[in-house]
Amino acid sequence: MSKAARLALAGAAAAVVALVIGMIAGGRAFPRIIPGLPDSGAVVRWGLPLSKLLMDVAGVTTVGLLLMAAVLLPNDKGVLGRTAAQYVKAGSWAALAWAGSAFVAIVFSTAESIGRTVPQILDRTFLTSYATQTTQGVALTLVVLFGVAIALFSRGAITAGAAAGLLLFALATLLPAPLTGHTSSSPNHDLATSAVSLHLLALALWVGGLAVLAIHAVRKQPQLEVAARRFSDMAVWCYAGVGLSGVFSLIARLGAVSDLWTTQYGLLAVVKIVAFVLLGYVGYWHRQRTLADLDKGRPRAFTRLAGGEMVLMLATIGVAVALSRTPPPEFSVPADRAFELLGFPLPAEITLGNVFTMWWFDLFFATVAAVLAGLYGFGVRRLRKRGDKWPWGRTASWYVGIALLVFATQSGLARYAKVMFDIHMIEHMTLSMVVPIFLVLGGPVTLALRALKPATRRGDRGPREWITTILHSRFTKVVTHPAVATSIFIASTYALYFTPLFESAMEEHLGHIWMTLHFLLSGCLFFWVIVGVDPAPNRLPHVGRLLMLFVTMPFHAFFGVALMMMGTVIASGWYEQLGRTWGATLLQTQQDGGAIAWGFGEIPTLIVLLAIAVQWYRDDERQARRTDRKADRPGGSGDSELDSYNAYLARLNRADKGERQVSGE
């Protein structure tokens, strides 16, 4: 048996042993059977967590294989090398195992949900009902479908871009199943959902990347030094993300700190914390010692330590599966429907003071704001450190946009936006029509291209090359076309509010995140085309930008008028459940929201007009300077049309002289 196979078996054994110990410690291995109540039996009791463990390991392995091929291993001008292509094909088989284990989990979950054994539920009616009519069943069905899709598409992937796309697809496939467990029933489900999502994504990249890197090292494959360095840089961020999201996940589930040592759930969480600290120490040892040995041509220490770290990580996954089967501690929450829906009590009657003082922590957008602010500051610092200049106006514009983003998603405005339609419309307009203007005027892409260093290997893709590739991709050319960007900006608003999508997005935290994120991204896309200072595939002249602005803004006014004239309440099922007794009626707040949408467009229109005017003026100045420099050259007049005419006369004169010489005159 090869070393790679032995390492994989050791990791699998560690995961299973950790799961068994966790199930016993959590009290789920031998539950008390009450006579007269249905029991699915020991096969289902153990088969379900084992199938979910296999599903998690297969998913993480798929992510690691695609990460290795797309990012960690060098490529030649976007084309995968031989080793990377082999990892993509291996990812196809891992994705197929992922889908198969998810199907087995559906079978065991169906049996557990109705308290029957597996032979008793092997009927199409039971399985299809569970897979299509329950939240957990639908989530597992999505994993089956997406896993099969990844397996099929991976067979023909030969470029780094295709592998990166499959990697993103695999990361998205990780989310549905875990987010329908204890997370959805947590009292603070908004925080729990965001924390678990970030936790899973960071953990999958970290664990999957290390597992494949360890096997790569054991197999003595080429370019180990490059892959290890790249993974080490990424692992630092993954470690921070796993730790931060894990803390917030525990906060959302535990009623008190004492639950960590007084409950079975808390004790299993402590085991995960200890394993996390040990993994951090091993990672530190990697960066200090083994990477240096690897650069000197001594890979043995790195291979041995990476293999041990992989086994510890897989054991931690086993503990995590056992933790997911253990109910979190119970603690009293208000018997309030609004609290169940919002994750916080219904706020008091709205006042300006409440908007500025009732802050609400949204982990997802707080993370987005922190990352955007930190990366931009890092880029500016790098430029100034090497003596380059960066316009202070762009920096100020970027951080004004970040501040507005934080206010719109973290302040009392975000709380009341879930309760009142007119406040929601203020948040919507701020995120889609004000924040994006300041962000695109900050020139983040230009800053990144100037601050990032080119790839050390010729033809390879580092972060700078990936940005350039995305800018020149066909997808970017299509979505940044003025007609497409305008259509997305306008049509999505009508499609959201005049269909059931809005109510669905308000009811689910992930739906609310996607809705808010769409406001931000569609606005950034639209205003990037109009006032963006970054390089773009489609550049409009200034007159065209003004025309695009004046054609688009009336559609928001029409949207506002349509809201004001409606006689029915949008998303009435959501707002009626909240039981708000103060303030205007639901229909009145909707009409007020329409009036806000109608009049709000004046603010961004004015800002954009000023930005276009300044850009136009500066372009004219640059053109004048170029003309002056040309005029200073010998034979230049400073007038391009006059220079062209003079050149034309000179050509005619030379042709006339040539004819005379031929005729002997």
Side-chain angles (χ1 to χ4, degrees):
M1 183 182 294
S2 65
K3 291 184 179 180
R6 289 200 297 269
L7 181 60
L9 285 177
V16 172
V17 170
L19 171 63
V20 172
I21 295 175
M23 290 279 290
I24 295 173
R28 299 293 294 178
F30 307 105
R32 186 177 65 174
I33 307 300
I34 300 177
L37 293 181
D39 177 40
S40 54
V43 173
V44 173
R45 189 180 312 125
W46 286 98
L48 180 56
L50 285 172
S51 63
K52 289 189 173 181
L53 175 62
L54 178 59
M55 185 178 70
D56 291 345
V57 172
V60 167
T61 303
T62 304
V63 169
L65 290 167
L66 295 173
L67 176 69
M68 192 72 165
V71 179
L72 300 184
L73 288 177
N75 55 75
D76 185 13
K77 296 181 180 179
V79 179
L80 296 176
R82 181 172 175 271
T83 306
Q86 291 176 348
Y87 282 128
V88 173
K89 289 183 180 180
S92 174
W93 291 106
L96 200 60
W98 192 5
S101 57
F103 177 77
V104 175
I106 291 177
V107 175
F108 285 124
S109 297
T110 304
E112 185 188 57
S113 65
I114 60 178
R116 299 189 183 186
T117 62
V118 172
Q120 291 174 337
I121 58 94
L122 288 180
D123 181 273
R124 186 179 64 180
T125 303
F126 289 118
L127 292 177
T128 55
S129 297
Y130 181 84
T132 59
Q133 298 180 14
T134 65
T135 304
Q136 182 70 13
V138 171
L140 291 172
T141 302
L142 290 176
V143 175
V144 174
L145 296 176
F146 292 167
V148 172
I150 294 170
L152 292 176
F153 290 131
S154 297
R155 305 301 297 178
I158 60 174
T159 64
L166 290 169
L167 173 61
L168 295 177
F169 194 9
L171 290 172
T173 307
L174 288 170
L175 297 178
L179 294 182
T180 55
H182 297 322
T183 301
S184 60
S185 59
S186 174
N188 194 346
H189 49 77
D190 286 7
L191 179 61
T193 300
S194 297
V196 168
S197 300
L198 294 174
H199 193 75
L200 285 172
L201 297 179
L203 189 65
L205 292 170
W206 184 26
V207 177
L210 179 67
V212 178
L213 185 64
I215 293 176
H216 187 84
V218 169
R219 295 176 62 206
K220 298 181 180 180
Q221 293 294 310
Q223 300 171 326
L224 175 61
E225 299 83 2
V226 178
R229 281 289 176 187
R230 291 182 177 181
F231 175 77
S232 178
D233 294 338
M234 184 196 73
V236 173
W237 294 98
C238 290
Y239 186 81
V242 169
L244 182 66
S245 58
V247 169
F248 285 114
S249 182
L250 283 177
I251 290 174
R253 288 179 173 84
L254 301 181
V257 178
S258 59
D259 289 338
L260 284 172
W261 57 83
T262 59
T263 64
Q264 295 171 328
Y265 186 92
L267 291 174
L268 287 176
V270 169
V271 173
K272 278 191 65 178
I273 294 172
V274 172
F276 174 77
V277 174
L278 289 176
L279 288 170
Y281 176 75
V282 173
Y284 172 79
W285 189 267
H286 268 309
R287 294 181 69 88
Q288 296 297 317
R289 300 291 181 87
T290 62
L291 287 179
D293 292 339
L294 195 60
D295 293 336
K296 296 176 182 177
R298 299 196 296 267
R300 186 174 180 181
F302 173 83
T303 303
R304 186 170 55 249
L305 190 59
E309 188 179 4
M310 186 198 81
V311 172
L312 179 58
M313 281 185 171
L314 291 177
T316 306
I317 291 180
V319 175
V321 174
L323 189 65
S324 69
R325 300 289 297 161
T326 305
E330 297 182 358
F331 54 94
S332 59
V333 296
D336 182 13
R337 180 57 177 164
F339 186 91
E340 294 178 4
L341 295 173
L342 300 172
F344 53 84
L346 187 72
E349 186 170 0
I350 185 170
T351 63
L352 189 61
N354 287 342
V355 170
F356 283 94
T357 57
M358 295 180 62
W359 288 77
W360 175 252
F361 182 69
D362 187 308
L363 177 60
F364 180 84
F365 286 102
T367 303
V368 170
V371 170
L372 292 178
L375 290 178
Y376 196 94
F378 174 77
V380 173
R381 180 176 175 272
R382 173 174 283 189
L383 286 183
R384 292 180 176 174
K385 191 175 181 180
R386 71 185 187 203
D388 294 340
K389 294 182 179 180
W390 181 253
W392 67 267
R394 292 186 182 182
T395 303
S397 176
W398 179 262
Y399 284 105
V400 167
I402 295 296
L404 291 173
L405 173 62
V406 171
F407 180 77
T409 58
Q410 312 289 318
S411 70
L413 185 70
R415 284 207 189 198
Y416 285 104
K418 292 186 176 182
V419 177
M420 304 178 69
F421 187 87
D422 49 356
I423 306 302
H424 164 81
M425 192 55 61
I426 294 176
E427 182 189 45
H428 172 183
M429 293 298 168
T430 302
L431 289 171
S432 64
M433 300 179 69
V434 179
V435 174
I437 297 175
F438 290 100
L439 293 182
V440 299
L441 288 176
V445 177
T446 303
L447 176 62
L449 291 175
R450 290 183 58 185
L452 292 171
K453 298 178 181 178
T456 54
R457 292 171 177 259
R458 185 172 183 146
D460 192 16
R461 284 184 182 175
R464 191 176 189 275
E465 287 74 20
W466 274 110
I467 294 174
T468 305
T469 301
I470 294 172
L471 281 177
H472 292 89
S473 67
R474 184 176 301 177
F475 174 79
T476 304
K477 290 180 181 178
V478 172
V479 298
T480 57
H481 189 280
V484 176
T486 303
S487 298
I488 294 174
F489 187 62
I490 296 174
S492 59
T493 300
Y494 286 84
L496 174 66
Y497 291 100
F498 296 139
T499 66
L501 287 175
F502 176 65
E503 185 167 0
S504 300
M506 295 295 287
E507 290 176 348
E508 296 290 340
H509 180 58
L510 284 181
H512 189 268
I513 286 178
W514 281 115
M515 177 178 64
T516 308
L517 196 60
H518 173 75
F519 293 156
L520 183 64
L521 294 178
S522 62
C524 286
L525 177 63
F526 176 75
F527 289 108
W528 185 31
V529 176
I530 294 182
V531 294
V533 297
D534 289 322
N538 301 291
R539 301 295 295 180
L540 283 175
H542 294 95
V543 175
R545 299 180 188 185
L546 289 173
L547 180 62
M548 183 176 172
L549 176 66
F550 289 130
V551 167
T552 303
M553 288 306 165
F555 283 96
H556 277 279
F558 298 153
F559 167 72
V561 172
L563 288 178
M564 294 170 65
M565 296 179 63
M566 288 184 66
T568 57
V569 177
I570 298 175
S572 58
W574 165 261
Y575 289 113
E576 288 172 355
Q577 291 184 83
L578 298 178
R580 177 174 58 85
T581 57
W582 45 262
T585 63
L586 297 181
L587 186 59
Q588 183 61 50
T589 58
Q590 181 173 299
Q591 293 172 348
D592 292 342
I596 291 169
W598 182 22
F600 201 94
E602 304 296 332
I603 300 173
T605 300
L606 178 60
I607 298 174
V608 171
L609 285 175
L610 290 174
I612 293 177
V614 172
Q615 291 174 355
W616 203 339
Y617 173 74
R618 289 179 176 175
D619 284 346
D620 287 344
E621 279 192 331
R622 284 192 291 268
Q623 182 64 33
R625 287 195 296 267
R626 282 195 295 267
T627 303
D628 291 340
R629 286 195 297 268
K630 190 173 182 180
D632 293 337
R633 298 172 188 166
S637 67
D639 189 330
S640 59
E641 294 184 0
L642 180 58
D643 289 341
S644 299
Y645 184 67
N646 289 336
Y648 172 70
L649 293 179
R651 287 195 299 271
L652 290 179
N653 186 36
R654 288 194 297 269
D656 185 54
K657 289 181 178 179
E659 290 178 0
R660 290 185 207 172
Q661 291 176 359
V662 171
S663 61
E665 293 182 4

